[in-house]
Amino acid sequence: MSEPTQPGDDAIVEDPTAETTPQEDAAPPEEDAPAVDESPADESTDPSEAETSETETTDLADQPEPDAVDESGEAAPVEAPDEPGEPAADTEESEPDVSAESEPEAVAAPVADEPTVSDEPGSAEESVSGTADAAAVPEGAQSSSRRRWAAVVVIAVVVALIASGAIWAAVYYGERAKPGVQIADVDVSGQTATELSATVSGILDAMTVTFRHDGETHEVNVSDLGIGIDTARIAQAALAAGDGVPFYEAYNPFHAKEVALVLDSDDERLQREVDSYFLGAEGDSADAGVSYDEAAGKFVVTPGEIGSTIDIAPIKEALAHPKAFADGVTLTERPVAPVVSDQAAEAAATTANERLGLDVVLDSAAGDYTVTAADIAAWTTFTTRAATSGDDQGSVAVGYDQAAIKRSLEAEAVGDLEDEVQHETILVSPEGNDIVTSEQGSDGVVISDLGAVASDVAGALDRGQNAVIDVATTVTEAGVERVTVPSNFNDPNGAKWIDINLSTYTLNAYEGTTHVYGPISVVTGASGTPTDPGTFYVWYKLPIQTMRGEGYVTENVRWVSYYNGDEAVHGAWWRSSFGYAASHGCVNLPESYAKWIYDWAPLGTKVEVHY
């Protein structure tokens, strides 16, 4: 170990090639050069001493390098502190002797233990070197660095908070109205689509408007006017408000985002409601009309009248700016001309009157029917072309109601155009012999499609042409019915029958065993033209007839009931007495009796002739 350098002695220059001994290997300092403990980690060190030691180290580091070597090029001596407890700041008056050659290696790496000041030359250099290392980073630089790191941390935290807030806002308001969104001055921030629709409906329900016209005022609810709103569309617009703008504007609650409240209207209802407030029915216009005058037998015109209506244009304009409703709307009237003018009605009446004279005939297999002017008048219709645009707007079309035509034909024409089927009826005696064909058969005729007939009639009238319309029919052929006459002659009140006695020249009427008329004196056939005896049945009847035979013609023979070929019971107006045989074979009666028999005895009545 080198001897300590004494004050005033020349500094010993250390061999630059000599190996630097680690501080922990150095010998402990002698007692006249006590070590300066600068370690702040030592809990026994007085805080004031630690602070003084730090100040000394800083002062050593702050000394300029040229002062480390004197003018002769030799290192300045280093003096030990006066007392072991004095701060190192006392060494400011004496600087360590450091040679120029060893200056680059004078500073060693900092070590855990504090450097000590020794009397030995090598120890003195190592002590100075340790002090310089401790002061390598200035306190101001360390404080500035800490402040920069603190600023970075704060900025990072702020950015993180902003980022997390942006993410939260994007998620929370993803399906909600953003902050600051308003509908008709109502803040709807944070509302969902369903809540927005309800809010919009509530705004409309509460919205009123005051109308002013000719000194009158009416305050009404907007919804009562047929004014509505597409709540779903407004709700979507509110959700989209703020899209496409910077984040700080979109989510800034103090940056108002107004959504327009667009209203829709039913113009017909709006017009009707507003007119009812101020005009009522008095303002209605009246179209010219056409009606049928039965007394005159033609169509006549009723003139139209000009009316008035409220001009709804100001209301329609206010719909685009609903806030304008708060100030009310002033309304005015405008004249309304009839849709159908007198000239249009006159033209229609002329056309309809011309068609009243058309000759339209319906022809079927059963007969025919001619359409009358009254029929055509009842079927005529007048239709105003008010709903269309163009040259025919307001004109009147003449037409014919097919349903009315069909109903009329069913009531009036079917009887002439159709026939019911009539089956032939043959009366048969109890013995099984044909008596007579009581009813002749006829085929049935039924119109196949009356609706088609009505259509054909309407078409002919629309064309204004005379027409003979063939009516399609369905024919049902007649059949034959054989009917056996009653035969309960032995029962009281049984079958009707007539008894003629040729011996007594009398006639009696019976119903079964019950005598109902007679005896009546009669004239029977003379010997040359006798009345045939036997059982017969009435087969033909005539209320009046001219009878012809060999050598005679008798007119106005009444109440004739034939029962056996050309033999009959009938009245004889030309005779004044009865009860003998004198006829051409018939049985003659007074006319009053003959009528009673005629009315009482139907076809098929049995006639029993005997002596």
Side-chain angles (χ1 to χ4, degrees):
M1 180 177 293
S2 301
E3 292 295 323
T5 303
Q6 299 296 325
D9 294 340
D10 293 336
I12 298 174
V13 179
E14 184 178 1
D15 186 0
T17 62
E19 182 179 353
T20 302
T21 302
Q23 194 172 22
E24 57 267 22
D25 295 335
E30 295 182 5
E31 293 195 13
D32 57 350
V36 180
D37 189 1
E38 297 179 358
S39 173
D42 188 355
E43 295 181 358
S44 63
T45 304
D46 186 85
S48 61
E49 293 177 358
E51 185 176 348
T52 304
S53 175
E54 182 179 348
T55 304
E56 290 173 351
T57 304
T58 303
D59 292 340
L60 284 173
D62 291 342
Q63 291 180 4
E65 292 182 359
D67 294 340
V69 180
D70 61 11
E71 292 180 0
S72 63
E74 295 179 353
V78 179
E79 295 181 358
D82 294 336
E83 297 178 3
E86 284 187 3
D90 294 341
T91 61
E92 290 179 359
E93 297 178 0
S94 61
E95 296 177 1
D97 184 11
V98 181
S99 67
E101 293 180 357
S102 61
E103 183 176 354
E105 298 181 3
V107 179
V111 294
D113 296 334
E114 293 297 332
T116 58
V117 179
S118 174
D119 292 336
E120 297 179 4
S123 297
E125 291 176 358
E126 291 174 4
S127 177
V128 174
S129 175
T131 303
D133 287 341
V137 180
E139 177 65 22
Q142 292 178 356
S143 177
S144 175
S145 176
R146 286 195 297 269
R147 285 195 298 270
R148 283 196 298 271
W149 274 108
V152 170
V153 171
V154 171
I155 293 173
V157 171
V158 171
V159 170
L161 290 175
I162 293 175
S164 61
I167 294 173
W168 176 87
V171 172
Y172 179 78
Y173 290 102
E175 296 183 357
R176 297 173 181 269
K178 298 177 182 63
V181 176
Q182 297 179 353
I183 301 176
D185 295 332
V186 176
D187 189 346
V188 295
S189 302
Q191 292 188 9
T192 64
T194 302
E195 293 169 338
L196 288 167
S197 295
T199 299
V200 173
S201 296
I203 292 173
L204 183 65
D205 292 341
M207 188 179 296
T208 60
V209 60
T210 299
F211 293 132
R212 296 181 292 271
H213 170 69
D214 198 20
E216 293 184 52
T217 60
H218 282 277
E219 182 177 3
V220 297
N221 191 285
V222 171
S223 58
D224 292 339
L225 300 171
I227 295 174
I229 191 169
D230 188 343
T231 57
R233 180 161 60 93
I234 299 301
Q236 290 302 317
L239 293 176
D243 290 351
V245 300
F247 179 85
Y248 65 87
E249 291 185 12
Y251 294 92
N252 184 354
F254 303 104
H255 182 74
K257 292 168 277 294
E258 183 70 26
V259 176
L261 191 67
V262 181
L263 302 177
D264 302 317
S265 66
D266 179 346
D267 289 353
E268 290 186 5
R269 179 179 175 184
L270 176 60
Q271 185 72 70
R272 184 171 60 253
E273 294 292 338
V274 176
D275 283 348
S276 69
Y277 298 147
F278 299 105
L279 302 179
E282 296 79 7
D284 295 342
S285 61
D287 291 341
V290 183
S291 59
Y292 185 68
D293 187 340
E294 292 185 5
K298 66 177 183 179
F299 289 99
V300 295
V301 173
T302 302
E305 296 180 2
I306 295 177
S308 61
T309 189
I310 297 296
D311 186 2
I312 64 172
I315 304 176
K316 296 282 290 180
E317 182 178 352
L319 290 178
H321 308 284
K323 292 182 180 180
F325 281 162
D327 299 330
V329 181
T330 300
L331 304 175
T332 59
E333 293 182 31
R334 60 180 178 82
V336 178
V339 175
V340 180
S341 65
D342 294 353
Q343 293 79 5
E346 288 286 356
T350 299
T351 299
N353 286 328
E354 290 174 351
R355 295 177 182 176
L356 291 177
L358 294 177
D359 186 11
V360 179
V361 178
L362 307 180
D363 185 33
S364 76
D368 57 53
Y369 178 81
T370 300
V371 174
T372 66
D375 290 337
I376 298 173
W379 303 337
T380 304
T381 62
F382 298 94
T383 304
T384 302
R385 296 191 180 105
T388 61
S389 60
D391 296 338
D392 61 349
Q393 184 176 7
S395 63
V396 180
V398 179
Y400 299 91
D401 186 345
Q402 292 188 26
I405 295 173
K406 182 179 179 180
R407 291 192 299 269
S408 179
L409 294 180
E410 287 176 338
E412 301 176 12
V414 166
D416 296 332
L417 301 174
E418 292 184 342
D419 279 335
E420 292 185 8
V421 63
Q422 182 65 52
H423 297 297
E424 182 179 327
T425 303
I426 299 175
L427 298 180
V428 181
S429 70
E431 297 79 17
N433 300 318
D434 289 351
I435 300 171
V436 67
T437 299
S438 61
E439 293 184 10
Q440 297 297 322
S442 61
D443 293 339
V445 177
V446 180
I447 297 173
S448 300
D449 187 352
L450 193 58
V453 176
S455 178
D456 291 342
V457 172
L461 296 175
D462 281 331
R463 293 188 298 271
Q465 297 176 346
N466 297 326
V468 176
I469 298 172
D470 291 329
V471 179
T473 57
T474 300
V475 177
T476 302
E477 294 183 355
V480 177
E481 295 180 350
R482 303 177 68 85
V483 179
T484 300
V485 298
S487 60
N488 56 335
F489 302 113
N490 295 324
D491 297 334
N493 300 316
K496 294 179 179 181
W497 63 283
I498 299 171
D499 178 77
I500 298 173
N501 191 325
L502 298 178
S503 300
T504 60
Y505 307 108
T506 58
L507 181 150
N508 287 277
Y510 293 88
E511 292 182 3
T513 59
T514 304
H515 182 258
V516 295
Y517 199 70
I520 302 168
S521 295
V522 298
V523 173
T524 59
S527 58
T529 55
T531 300
D532 297 329
T535 299
F536 309 98
Y537 296 89
V538 176
W539 66 273
Y540 188 55
K541 295 171 66 173
L542 288 173
I544 187 171
Q545 177 185 22
T546 297
M547 289 187 174
R548 292 178 174 85
E550 187 178 348
Y552 72 92
V553 174
T554 306
E555 296 179 354
N556 298 321
V557 179
R558 295 178 183 277
W559 317 119
V560 181
S561 299
Y562 287 95
Y563 63 88
N564 179 29
D566 59 357
E567 291 181 1
V569 175
H570 60 78
W573 56 266
W574 61 90
R575 297 185 187 279
S576 58
S577 62
F578 299 88
Y580 56 91
S583 73
H584 294 91
C586 291
V587 177
N588 299 166
L589 289 76
E591 284 191 334
S592 60
Y593 297 144
K595 183 179 185 306
W596 189 94
I597 295 298
Y598 182 90
D599 293 339
W600 174 79
L603 293 175
T605 300
K606 185 175 79 166
V607 178
E608 193 72 42
V609 182
H610 62 90
Y611 285 98

